[in-house]
Amino acid sequence: MFDLQICFDTIDHDILIYKLHKYGINENELEWFKSYLFNRRQVVKIQNYNISSEFSLRVGIPQGSTLGPLLFLVFVNDLFTCINHSKGNYFADDAMIYSKGCGYEPELLYNLQSDTAHIGQEARGLAPCLTRWKTMTT
């Protein structure tokens, strides 16, 4: 199981725009998404006192926004396209690959490890999200 919660903060804007284009978003709409994502600035304040300098955000999706969950889904939607032996499911901010077997089967374990490696290699822009993962067998 992959914990994708961190993805909200690490999504690469250029890759997200590429994926939106790939899904058929036209140029005018892409420009709107670019204006929404790019050139965002942030500063840390406590009781109206600036604690940090203003800095530019180059990655991440605005959390708490209406578009945030939709953009997150667009970004992770192709996560399972590179697996060959397993099936995949999403639930909230977790992703899971699984296979069925009977007892301990070395081939099953090898296939799961192989698919996990494929996800790590092929899932463009998701590397920071795939550093935290959990394994379980039943």
Side-chain angles (χ1 to χ4, degrees):
M1 186 176 305
F2 302 98
D3 183 356
L4 300 177
Q5 182 179 11
I6 193 172
C7 278
F8 272 94
D9 297 329
T10 61
I11 288 177
D12 183 295
H13 296 159
D14 291 319
I15 295 172
L16 180 58
I17 293 297
Y18 167 80
K19 288 183 177 191
L20 287 167
H21 178 70
K22 185 175 86 172
Y23 288 121
I25 302 297
N26 70 38
E27 288 302 319
N28 288 338
E29 293 157 347
L30 284 176
E31 288 303 316
W32 185 87
F33 277 107
K34 287 178 186 177
S35 72
Y36 177 73
L37 292 170
F38 289 85
N39 300 318
R40 297 182 76 85
R41 304 190 68 68
Q42 179 173 306
V43 65
V44 177
K45 288 185 175 188
I46 297 178
Q47 296 179 349
N48 294 329
Y49 294 102
N50 286 2
I51 303 300
S52 72
S53 302
E54 189 174 277
F55 58 94
S56 179
L57 298 174
R58 298 192 172 140
V59 295
I61 294 175
Q63 293 188 34
S65 67
T66 304
L67 282 176
L70 174 66
L71 293 174
F72 173 77
L73 289 174
V74 166
F75 195 78
V76 300
N77 188 51
D78 58 358
L79 180 64
F80 299 132
T81 58
C82 60
I83 60 176
N84 300 314
H85 310 287
S86 309
K87 295 186 180 196
N89 281 332
Y90 297 105
F91 181 77
D93 57 6
D94 290 325
M96 174 177 59
I97 62 170
Y98 60 94
S99 289
K100 291 183 183 179
C102 212
Y104 176 76
E105 296 178 25
E107 183 180 351
L108 179 66
L109 181 59
Y110 172 80
N111 289 342
L112 284 169
Q113 289 173 334
S114 174
D115 283 343
T116 301
H118 282 124
I119 289 172
Q121 293 167 359
E122 301 294 326
R124 216 173 125 207
L126 287 173
C129 308
L130 301 178
T131 57
R132 293 175 27 198
W133 56 279
K134 309 169 223 175
T135 305
M136 72 178 136
T137 59
T138 57

